[in-house]
Amino acid sequence: GLHALDVAGGWLEVSGEPAYSSAMYERRAVIQEQRDLALVDDGLSRGAQVELMELIVAHLAEEFPSRFVLEGEGAEQRLRSLAEGLEWRLEDFRERPLELVGSLLQEDICLMHEESVAEGTPRHIFVAGVVMDSFDPVAKHMLPMLELHDPVPQYAEDLHKSMSRVFATLRKPVWRANFAIAEWREEEDADMSADALLQRLYFKVEYETLRRLPRHSEYLVFTIRPHMDPLTALASAPLACAALAEEIRRLPEALLAYRGLSEPLVQQTVLDFLDSAVLASGGDNSRKAEA
């Protein structure tokens, strides 16, 4: 579900070092070498893009003062990344603000333009952004929200109207999280025992936020920050294991497949691990018995 977002503490995430520098080295290389695959721009939202750039720069300097410093005024204003020894002159990016956005953030970020329609709820169009991990931005560029969610089972039937209303009436920022299970298998991995499979499974979480730009209020900013860890790392968080097991058991087959749990062996291995982690902590696995 959606939750109220504390912008100061929860809008953008910055990893510790050296993880941030390593991640940003790769993302900056993509912008330099494969810009057209990661950055999309409708050419009409430049004012909103500049406002977004300014919001991000100010946020980094205010919320992470040991990592980023904003110096100077006017055309000489610069943002410095202290740990990396890098700096950017904001004026140099007035005509290409998304390049700076993509050079600073570990998040994928999308600008959604709100368009009025003759009748009903406004449409929200993906007009610009920097996306490297979440989906193919070139294939999805200029599509309305319904078509952005084409791969999501039951979205059109169950969620599109309610999510369109959330977008259209959004006044305060919100966040949500989605999960999926991924198997990392090398060609030589033939062992399909539960123990071997468990070691190949990863838990992916996408932390998503949504907020409206203050000045260009017809634009919404959607951020997606993916995290991926070995599934076994959840053993130290039994409450999370219990909640995840409950969620998996209530999902319909189509959503289980979308979240990487279509194969019965994978699903059973995940549930057995989660239940065992809860039991090891002294928790109650009564939901397992009921299932």
Side-chain angles (χ1 to χ4, degrees):
L2 294 174
H3 310 273
L5 172 67
D6 173 15
V7 171
W11 183 35
L12 303 175
E13 298 179 346
V14 176
S15 295
E17 290 292 354
Y20 174 79
S21 294
S22 176
M24 296 317 304
Y25 177 84
E26 294 181 3
R27 292 179 73 88
R28 290 165 192 155
V30 171
I31 291 175
Q32 291 298 316
E33 300 167 14
Q34 298 177 303
R35 182 185 186 279
D36 292 343
L37 299 180
L39 192 154
V40 292
D41 183 352
D42 66 338
L44 301 174
S45 56
R46 188 59 44 79
Q49 294 174 31
V50 170
E51 181 182 0
L52 175 60
M53 177 186 75
E54 293 172 344
L55 274 179
I56 288 168
V57 165
H59 182 89
L60 293 176
E62 290 169 6
E63 301 303 326
F64 305 95
S66 65
R67 306 285 297 279
F68 300 95
V69 174
L70 191 57
E71 298 177 333
E73 297 181 358
E76 293 306 313
Q77 193 171 46
R78 300 168 185 268
L79 180 74
R80 294 174 55 208
S81 174
L82 299 178
E84 298 178 285
L86 299 175
E87 67 176 38
W88 298 267
R89 180 174 174 263
L90 270 58
E91 192 66 24
D92 294 337
F93 293 90
R94 294 286 167 185
E95 297 303 317
R96 45 193 179 101
L98 291 179
E99 288 190 18
L100 182 56
V101 168
S103 297
L104 294 173
L105 298 187
Q106 292 167 272
E107 286 85 355
D108 287 342
I109 193 159
C110 308
L111 267 183
M112 308 292 293
H113 184 227
E114 189 169 274
E115 294 184 355
S116 298
V117 296
E119 295 181 6
T121 307
R123 298 196 316 162
H124 295 86
I125 311 297
F126 171 45
V127 294
V130 184
V131 181
M132 301 184 197
D133 296 318
S134 308
F135 59 88
D136 180 354
V138 177
K140 299 289 188 180
H141 190 217
M142 301 307 296
L143 292 182
M145 188 169 60
L146 177 59
E147 294 181 44
L148 281 182
H149 287 86
D150 260 354
V152 182
Q154 299 177 305
Y155 179 83
E157 299 88 345
D158 299 342
L159 294 173
H160 176 59
K161 287 184 178 179
S162 62
M163 288 305 297
S164 293
R165 284 194 296 270
V166 168
F167 273 56
T169 60
L170 186 73
R171 296 295 177 266
K172 296 182 178 180
V174 295
W175 70 271
R176 71 176 182 181
N178 290 321
F179 81 90
I181 301 294
E183 181 183 357
W184 186 269
R185 186 191 301 181
E186 301 289 349
E187 289 185 7
E188 62 271 18
D189 287 334
D191 188 347
M192 291 302 293
S193 67
D195 288 342
L197 177 59
L198 178 60
Q199 299 307 313
R200 298 198 297 265
L201 295 179
Y202 284 77
F203 181 56
K204 180 180 180 180
V205 174
E206 286 188 345
Y207 174 68
E208 303 172 352
T209 75
L210 183 67
R211 64 180 295 188
R212 192 177 291 274
L213 287 178
R215 297 198 307 272
H216 295 81
S217 58
E218 71 276 23
Y219 289 91
L220 280 69
V221 181
F222 181 50
T223 68
I224 310 156
R225 174 66 189 275
H227 298 270
M228 185 175 290
D229 294 290
L231 180 64
T232 52
L234 281 179
S236 60
L239 291 179
C241 288
L244 181 58
E246 182 177 8
E247 175 76 359
I248 290 172
R249 286 188 167 101
R250 74 169 187 82
L251 286 177
E253 287 299 321
L255 278 175
L256 285 171
Y258 179 70
R259 297 185 187 279
L261 291 162
S262 59
E263 295 184 22
L265 179 59
V266 172
Q267 186 179 145
Q268 193 59 53
T269 299
V270 171
L271 287 172
D272 286 347
F273 165 75
L274 297 174
D275 291 334
S276 297
V278 174
L279 282 174
S281 71
D284 179 11
N285 75 328
S286 59
R287 291 186 182 89
K288 178 181 177 182
E290 291 169 4

